[in-house]
């Protein structure tokens, strides 16, 4: 996974830009993304696939800013979406609808109609009821819907339980043991065109084995289907490749494909991937200022201006994300801090027990924040959502304005006064 962040004479730079300059110009908290890092991470996928027929569908949910999507669309990326909101973003960013796969377990008839109207590549279907609705929706538009069934292969992704999705107890997909029957019934539906199979077993995977186990199970199913005259054109193994937040031994895209592609040798189905985190996580940071320092007998607290509403991962998953000052000050006293935000919840922290040499007013950088950062942010505690910035070489672009107090109450209405 590529990053374009370096420390130079004590100051952090992203590409050619000092992060200090961004903090000065745009204020904090703000998310900053590197265009180059996103491009390099996407290119690594394409390179790792070599000549094998493939489609890399970036998981929009991981970072859906339209400038990020535009960057990937310009490289020819496909997109994995989970809502019509994400589809409209992809279209706005110049993405090709024909390279869109539509995941998610509760698609509505309206969402299906819109996706059929723009001609997406495939619907990843998660239940028989959804299949029935899609068939009816396609019939009402006199079209056929391209379909893949998302199967749950029952493999343990060995990741955090909240981001593991391929076990029997998870809500996702159709049990692989029921899949054959569902395909056979789908094959009888007039407006369903079966073109693929998919799975997504979890996120932040650092081992290749769960992916290989899942693929092996999918291949058995694909062969059984082909014996029953239901040939499939693609196999979609989902996303999930992990990135380094701390010192994890991660799997490179090259190593992943070097193990996965041999399973597909002599077959020819197109391989679809749905990576999110491995494209954007290490391409982004969150900048935040230290507002106050305070200590008691037990602890030192660095109270910063970013909170769990801006970056939820540490609070929700106990995720460890690196925190460093954007300019080092070796003269300052080194202490162990809990880095906490202004939100009124004890669970509001960005990091615990971090060794830092900092003073009030310093700017900190939270690393690997390009995925599942801004997209999971909220207005909790009536905090406006922060600005997003994209660095491209020597250029800096504001790609989302900081929300204003007026934005906070947009759409709200006082009751009439009698
Ligand atoms: N495809 C499907 C169907 C998914 O559900 C997901 C992620 C992906 C692809 C992309 O997975 P990735 O390559 O990014 O691992 N908010 C959590 C992660 C939730 C992942 C949800 N699904 C976090 O911050 O760790």
């Amino acid at each position: 996974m590529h990053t374009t962040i370096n420390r130079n004479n004590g100051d952090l730079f992203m590409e050619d830009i000092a992060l200090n300059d961004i903090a000065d110009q745009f204020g904090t908290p703000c998310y900053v993304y590197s265009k180059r890092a996103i491009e390099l991470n996407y290119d690594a996928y394409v390179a790792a696939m070599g000549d094998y027929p493939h489609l890399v569908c970036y998981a929009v949910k991981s970072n859906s800013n339209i400038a990020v999507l535009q960057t990937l669309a310009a490289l020819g990326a496909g997109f994995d979406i989970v809502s019509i909101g994400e589809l409209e973003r992809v279209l706005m960013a110049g993405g090709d609808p024909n390279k869109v796969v539509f995941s998610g377990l509760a698609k509505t008839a309206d969402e299906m109609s819109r996706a059929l109207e723009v001609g997406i590549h495939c619907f990843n279907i998660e239940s028989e009821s959804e299949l029935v609705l899609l068939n009816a929706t396609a019939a009402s538009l006199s079209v056929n819907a391209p379909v893949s069934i998302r199967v749950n292969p029952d493999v343990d992704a060995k990741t955090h339980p909240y981001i593991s999705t391929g076990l029997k107890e998870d809500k996702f997909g159709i049990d692989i043991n029921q899949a054959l029957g569902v395909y056979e019934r789908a094959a009888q539906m007039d407006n369903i065109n079966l073109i693929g199979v998919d799975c997504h077993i979890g996120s932040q995977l650092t081992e290749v084995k769960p992916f290989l186990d899942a693929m092996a199970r999918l291949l058995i199913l694909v062969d059984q289907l082909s014996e029953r005259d239901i040939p499939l054109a693609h196999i979609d193994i989902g996303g999930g490749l992990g990135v380094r937040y701390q010192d994890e031994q991660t799997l490179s895209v090259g190593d992943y494909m070097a193990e996965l592609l041999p399973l597909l040798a002599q077959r020819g189905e197109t391989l679809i991937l749905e990576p999110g985190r491995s494209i954007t996580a290490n391409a982004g940071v969150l900048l935040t200022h230290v507002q106050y320092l305070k200590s008691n007998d037990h602890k030192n607290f660095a109270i910063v201006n970013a909170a769990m509403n801006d970056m939820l991962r540490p609070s929700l998953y106990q995720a460890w994300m690196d925190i460093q000052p954007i300019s080092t000050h070796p003269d300052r006293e080194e202490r162990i801090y809990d880095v906490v935000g202004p939100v009124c919840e004890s669970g509001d922290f960005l990091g615990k027990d971090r060794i830092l040499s900092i003073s009030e007013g310093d700017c900190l950088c939270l690393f690997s924040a390009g995925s599942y950062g801004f997209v999971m942010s909220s207005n909790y505690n009536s905090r406006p959502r922060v600005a997003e910035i994209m660095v491209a070489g020597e250029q800096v672009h504001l790609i989302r304005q900081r929300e204003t107090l007026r934005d906070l109450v947009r759409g709200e209405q006082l009751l009439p006064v009698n």
Side-chain angles (χ1 to χ4, degrees), residues 267-281:
R267 296 192 62 104
E269 289 97 351
T270 298
L271 176 62
I272 298 186
L273 295 162
E274 302 170 358
R277 191 190 313 262
S278 49
I279 295 198
T280 42

Side-chain angles (χ1 to χ4, degrees), residues 1 36 49 63 68 109 130 180 203 312 323 327 384 388 397:
M1 255 51 75
R36 185 86 194 108
M49 305 290 252
N63 183 329
V68 170
E130 191 190 4
L180 214 48
S203 200
L312 187 58
I323 301 173
S327 296
E388 292 178 285
H397 307 278

Side-chain angles (χ1 to χ4, degrees), residues 45 57-62 80-82 101-104 124 126 150 159-160 162-165 172 198-205 211 236-242 245 273-280 311-314 316-317 319 321 371-373 375-376:
Y45 269 93
C57 293
Y58 168 69
V60 174
K61 68 166 79 68
S62 61
D80 165 44
I81 59 161
V82 292
V101 297
F102 194 167
S103 303
N124 292 350
E126 300 221 17
R150 175 171 177 177
T159 183
H160 190 285
Y162 282 16
I163 52 177
S164 160
T165 46
F172 297 101
D198 67 285
C199 74
H200 170 80
I201 56 174
S203 200
Q204 185 56 14
L205 272 72
F211 288 122
D236 176 347
I237 189 78
L241 194 61
Y245 287 98
L273 295 162
E274 302 170 358
R277 191 190 313 262
S278 49
I279 295 198
T280 42
M311 166 48 84
L312 187 58
R313 303 192 67 257
L316 188 59
Y317 315 113
M321 303 177 77
S371 292
Y372 307 112
V375 286
M376 291 175 74

Side-chain angles (χ1 to χ4, degrees), residues 61 80-82 102-107 112 123-132 134 147-153 165-167 170-176 178-179 182-183 198-201 236 274:
K61 68 166 79 68
D80 165 44
I81 59 161
V82 292
F102 194 167
S103 303
L105 74 174
K107 299 173 199 77
M112 291 171 178
F123 290 85
N124 292 350
I125 291 297
E126 300 221 17
S127 66
E128 229 168 317
S129 304
E130 191 190 4
L131 196 56
V132 169
L134 181 60
V147 162
S148 152
I149 306 281
R150 175 171 177 177
V151 300
N152 185 331
T165 46
L167 281 172
D170 296 320
K171 68 180 175 181
F172 297 101
I174 290 178
D175 190 321
I176 192 149
Q178 300 173 351
V182 176
Y183 270 100
D198 67 285
C199 74
H200 170 80
I201 56 174
D236 176 347
E274 302 170 358

